[in-house]
Amino acid sequence: MRGGHRFPPSRPRARKDSMRLALLLTLLLTAHLGRAAAPLGQVAPPAVFRFHLGTAEVTVLNDGSMPIAAGDDMRHATPQQVRQALTAAFLTSPVETSHNAFLINTGARLLLVDAGGGDLVPTLGRLEANLRAAGHTPEQVDAIYITHMHGDHIGGLTQQGRRLYPNATVFVNRREAEHWLDPAEEARAAPQRRELYQTARARLAPYQAARKFQTFEGDMAFEGGLRAIAGHGHTPGHTAYVLQAGGKRLLLIGDQIHLGALQFPYPQATIRYDYVPAAAQAERRRSLEDAADHCALVAGAHLPFPGVGHVRRAGQGFAFVPLAYSPTGQPVACPTAAPAGTSP
Ligand SMILES: [Zn+2]
């Protein structure tokens, strides 16, 4: 086109404007395409959290989550206390609740505390994938210490009726094992609870058949600084474990706490699945007092993932302080003077 000179005053300006417009469109288009290029994550990435306790390496493996209906499921708390506690924690009911298992590498042996729900519940069963994401295989696990035999803690022991952990021995408190494996106890249970007994028998049977199942009494000392603390609140033989390493203790409290947002400030609050609520209350208070007064770490099967942290006294109850993330998983230290009854 050579006729452009007919409009000498306006033509260069028009060209400049159109160039600006083209540039703007290109930028907008690039930005738009850039955003669309990254697909939405449909499944949560691996939920694995690692820290050190002395020479021991502890890896939290999330198994998924399940809802707790705070109003219906929780007992020994007034509706007002439940409301206030949830509001203070920015939660509404039902509360999505983590299911965590804990892998301990002593340097010589690989120990797993609880085995997750496996295929029993659609929203559980992520433990194996997270174990692999943490760099381990089920074959490497040497021992599995069970806190109690509810399905969400033992369902993951087997897959299609076969042992998922072929080299592991499963340890369960004798009282707990006898209760859940006894057909007479099942017959005595309410009809809607009988499935729990059938599940327990089915998931333990392959380990019993392979002679990879052992029961123990009370406060048993195991390997690598791991020890059992017997209880009978949540279930007849509910067991907490303590890992002592490098001058620090980790209390693996199992199901002593289900809804931390309520049960730290109101430790008297129980859940309707508790076998002996008064004993569950006492066990929980003992653990929380111990943790608060001696700067022990607490690891909860149902505390929000990774569910590990310190505890301090707060009013009539307690407050939970999650362990800070460290990309290098440095050993955790205690302040020389643990804060008692103080708020920062
Ligand atoms: Zn339970």
Side-chain angles (χ1 to χ4, degrees), residues 99 147-153 176 180 234-235 238 254-256 258 271 273-274 301-302:
H99 285 236
T147 61
H148 66 297
M149 288 171 64
H150 279 162
D152 56 320
H153 297 256
E176 181 76 0
W180 295 104
H234 180 56
T235 55
H238 182 275
D255 275 19
Q256 287 181 9
H258 290 84
I271 195 159
Y273 314 109
D274 285 337
H302 300 302

Side-chain angles (χ1 to χ4, degrees), residues 43 62-67 96-97 99 116-127 151-152 155 195 203:
V43 179
N62 181 261
D63 188 45
S65 69
M66 283 181 74
E96 186 175 5
T97 302
H99 285 236
D119 58 3
L120 288 178
V121 181
T123 56
L124 299 181
R126 294 169 177 264
L127 195 155
D152 56 320
E195 203 184 331
R203 304 285 157 145

Side-chain angles (χ1 to χ4, degrees), residues 206-228:
Y207 289 87
Q208 289 175 301
R211 300 185 174 277
K212 290 279 193 184
F213 174 72
Q214 279 187 32
T215 60
F216 61 87
E217 300 285 341
D219 296 352
M220 181 85 179
F222 296 105
E223 52 193 317
L226 190 73
R227 186 164 54 84

